[in-house]
Amino acid sequence: MTKAIEEQLELLAENAVDLFSREELKRKLETTRRDNRPLRVKYGADPSAPDIHLGHVVGLNQLRRFQDCGHTVVFIIGDFTGMIGDPSGRSQTRKPLTREQVAANALSYQEQVFRILRREQTEIAFNSNWLSPMGFEEVIRLSAHVTVAQLLARDDFSKRYAANQPISLVEFLYPLVQAYDSVKVKADVELGGTDQLFNLLLGRELQKVMGQEPQVVMTLPLIEGLDGVNKMSKSLGNYIGINEPAKDIFGKAMSISDDLMWKYFRLVLGWGREAIEQLQSEVQSGTVHPRDAKDRLATALAARFHDEAAARAVSEEFRRVFSAGQAPSEMPELVVTPDLLDGEGRAGLMALMVAGGLCASNGEAKRLIQQGAVKIGEEKATEVQAKVVPVDGLIIKSGKRGFVRLRLA
RNA sequence: GGUGGGAUAGCGAAGUGGCCAAACGCAUCAGACUGUAAAUCUGACGACUCACGUCUUCGAAGGUUCGAAUCCUUCUCCCACCA
């Protein structure tokens, strides 16, 4: 709260990609300091995908920085838009939600968000509060402030339009809705990913038109997901969720490419530039193995969303299973029931694999065996038709990650 | 309102009577190499069967045919353009 203006500015702008504008932000910081009131920093969330992942964490971290400087976060849950959905059918994640679903998602959202944000410096707002009661007249008045050409200027709209792909009117309206939210909550600043730039700027425009001081717009980098190419998103399934078990957070983090890990250090862990450059040079000089650098990342992530002890445990477990090739300490079990056995007390390997959940069908089991992915105990299975004499505790392994332990009934 | 185009496996997209369980690309899964890296290379990729093979699938329902993703009829849904 007492940080000097310049210092705040430095900290807040560090990771920003776009900032409109630095001067304006500075001025706002000064006036709020003088009037002794915090800035209102707006951030919008889509309640249709209630799992918060590391991509969101980038934004949340930045919000937290604002809070650390004494400012207030206005966290908007887009329940109204969530209930309308996206009729273009392009995206399955945009199915309309029921009121109950939205409420449930919003609740789980808050619970996750407050693992990063300070509750006492956060206002939660549901945009249905002001959008639902709006009459059509108001909606039309609102849309009068924006031209089609303006909307078409947005990158993905212009691309789709040029490619003769559908753009529904609702999609056109969404940016307007988001901009109107800014007016309603009297935002001083709005944050979003770089893909939100257009929408954020529209909020600025609309505030001006409606007689408010325009919000400062700040965009943050998008982080690529596990595939290393596409931005992290739930619908692509390339994400690390903050509610995932420590083991999964760790394992997924280990699978990202070396190039990408620095971005995670900076934007998800919030490491400063010096610390990152230091580690980078150690990796470059060979002092630190890249694997170990990534282990630090993965451990820190697991620790952040669980705790130190759990993080250390998964790191060790990981080393044992994947570096040393040993069996994990815990794995699913399959109780061998009599119907799996033939007359001589043996069970077909394929049947065991299907029953144990290692694969979905016999055909798949066969493929895995033929490709040399399957081990019975220590022995590699080579025969598709192999029979196994079940022994209590015997482990069947499929691929790098599939394990099942047999239990006799 | 008019004109044209389209619906094929997780996605994209070929295929216009038998050689189609359906090219190719992406994604996925496995193997090799490794650090569970990434990249690369190799293989697999509807179900059932040891296998010969059998069964279900090309928007839906009917029909023509020895034989239909492919032809005909009706229906459903989608898109672009012109107004």
Side-chain angles (χ1 to χ4, degrees):
Chain A
M1 196 71 183
T2 53
K3 279 199 176 83
I5 300 284
E6 277 303 327
E7 202 182 325
Q8 283 192 32
L9 201 54
E10 207 44 55
L11 180 70
L12 295 174
E14 185 186 348
N15 288 328
V17 177
D18 302 292
L19 177 56
F20 300 106
S21 63
R22 199 184 164 98
E23 290 66 41
E24 246 172 83
L25 179 58
K26 188 177 174 191
R27 204 170 59 241
K28 276 180 186 268
L29 286 170
E30 283 164 355
T31 53
T32 53
R33 162 70 54 93
R34 197 187 57 221
D35 302 347
N36 196 25
R37 72 161 185 100
L39 286 178
R40 297 172 60 73
V41 184
K42 178 193 169 206
Y43 186 79
D46 166 18
S48 63
D51 293 329
I52 291 199
H53 55 62
L54 298 190
H56 303 116
V57 170
V58 175
L60 295 173
N61 281 342
Q62 181 72 12
L63 291 173
R64 177 57 193 251
R65 285 189 179 186
F66 273 98
Q67 291 185 329
D68 289 342
C69 294
H71 304 294
T72 300
V73 166
V74 183
F75 196 90
I76 297 192
I77 294 182
D79 62 333
F80 183 80
T81 36
M83 283 185 284
I84 291 173
D86 176 356
S88 69
R90 233 167 22 96
S91 148
Q92 278 126 2
T93 60
R94 283 277 183 112
K95 290 242 165 64
L97 302 173
T98 63
R99 194 166 283 281
E100 289 73 35
Q101 284 173 310
V102 167
N105 289 354
L107 208 65
S108 103
Y109 226 104
Q110 289 180 52
E111 180 198 313
Q112 295 173 72
V113 160
F114 286 129
R115 300 177 65 178
I116 294 169
L117 297 184
R118 289 207 178 100
R119 197 179 284 265
E120 63 278 11
Q121 282 174 273
T122 307
E123 272 176 35
I124 300 268
F126 292 83
N127 65 0
S128 62
N129 277 346
W130 54 84
L131 295 175
S132 292
M134 276 175 85
F136 200 56
E137 188 186 333
E138 276 181 276
V139 176
I140 289 183
R141 275 186 208 286
L142 193 61
S143 15
H145 295 302
V146 188
T147 69
V148 169
Q150 274 176 312
L151 289 167
L152 274 176
R154 197 171 98 172
D155 193 46
D156 67 313
F157 284 155
S158 57
K159 277 194 189 129
R160 278 160 64 193
Y161 190 67
N164 280 354
Q165 280 170 358
I167 302 170
S168 89
L169 195 53
V170 168
E171 290 181 88
F172 255 15
L173 247 25
Y174 271 19
L176 193 59
V177 164
Q178 194 176 326
Y180 187 60
D181 289 346
S182 288
V183 172
K184 280 315 237 189
V185 303
K186 299 189 169 59
D188 292 303
V189 181
E190 181 167 10
L191 288 190
T194 49
D195 57 343
Q196 289 292 310
L197 180 62
F198 179 88
N199 296 353
L200 305 184
L201 288 171
L202 192 60
R204 238 171 107 83
E205 293 303 313
L206 199 62
Q207 281 175 314
K208 263 191 260 182
V209 170
M210 304 190 75
Q212 285 185 17
E213 189 180 321
Q215 63 185 6
V216 167
V217 162
M218 183 184 284
T219 66
L220 298 166
L222 298 171
I223 57 169
E224 290 80 9
L226 302 179
D227 55 26
V229 179
N230 297 300
K231 77 164 184 171
M232 187 175 283
S233 82
K234 185 170 188 200
S235 51
L236 291 173
N238 62 354
Y239 68 103
I240 302 179
I242 70 170
N243 266 355
E244 292 191 67
K247 181 167 120 319
D248 294 338
I249 291 180
F250 189 94
K252 286 182 176 181
M254 286 305 280
S255 79
I256 65 170
S257 76
D258 290 358
D259 294 337
L260 191 54
M261 82 173 146
W262 307 111
K263 211 166 173 180
Y264 281 44
F265 270 116
R266 177 165 68 97
L267 296 168
V268 182
L269 289 181
W271 276 30
R273 182 176 314 176
E274 304 82 43
I276 291 173
E277 280 172 3
Q278 162 89 25
L279 186 58
Q280 267 174 327
S281 74
E282 281 171 353
V283 167
Q284 213 141 46
S285 68
T287 324
V288 173
H289 193 287
R291 189 211 166 274
D292 294 325
K294 207 182 291 170
D295 183 280
R296 282 180 72 177
L297 172 73
T299 306
L301 288 173
R304 179 157 183 205
F305 300 112
H306 293 274
D307 58 70
E308 287 289 341
R312 238 191 308 277
V314 291
S315 169
E316 276 160 32
E317 172 85 352
F318 187 86
R319 211 175 280 272
R320 184 166 74 242
V321 176
F322 295 111
S323 302
Q326 292 171 14
S329 46
E330 283 178 33
M331 68 180 85
E333 301 197 337
L334 170 66
V335 177
V336 181
T337 49
D339 58 290
L340 288 168
L341 301 173
D342 65 10
E344 296 158 53
R346 299 178 309 170
L349 177 56
M350 292 195 298
L352 286 176
M353 289 173 65
V354 173
L358 294 177
C359 51
S361 67
N362 279 350
E364 200 178 319
K366 184 173 128 194
R367 245 176 272 137
L368 289 166
I369 296 168
Q370 282 171 342
Q371 295 183 126
V374 180
K375 273 186 172 180
I376 307 163
E378 287 304 304
E379 213 160 322
K380 184 181 264 192
T382 48
E383 282 296 318
V384 171
Q385 284 310 299
K387 295 278 185 181
V388 178
V389 180
V391 177
D392 198 58
L394 184 68
I395 292 169
I396 296 180
K397 182 184 183 195
S398 162
K400 279 176 284 196
R401 278 168 290 186
F403 291 91
V404 70
R405 177 180 276 130
L406 300 186
R407 284 291 170 218
L408 295 190

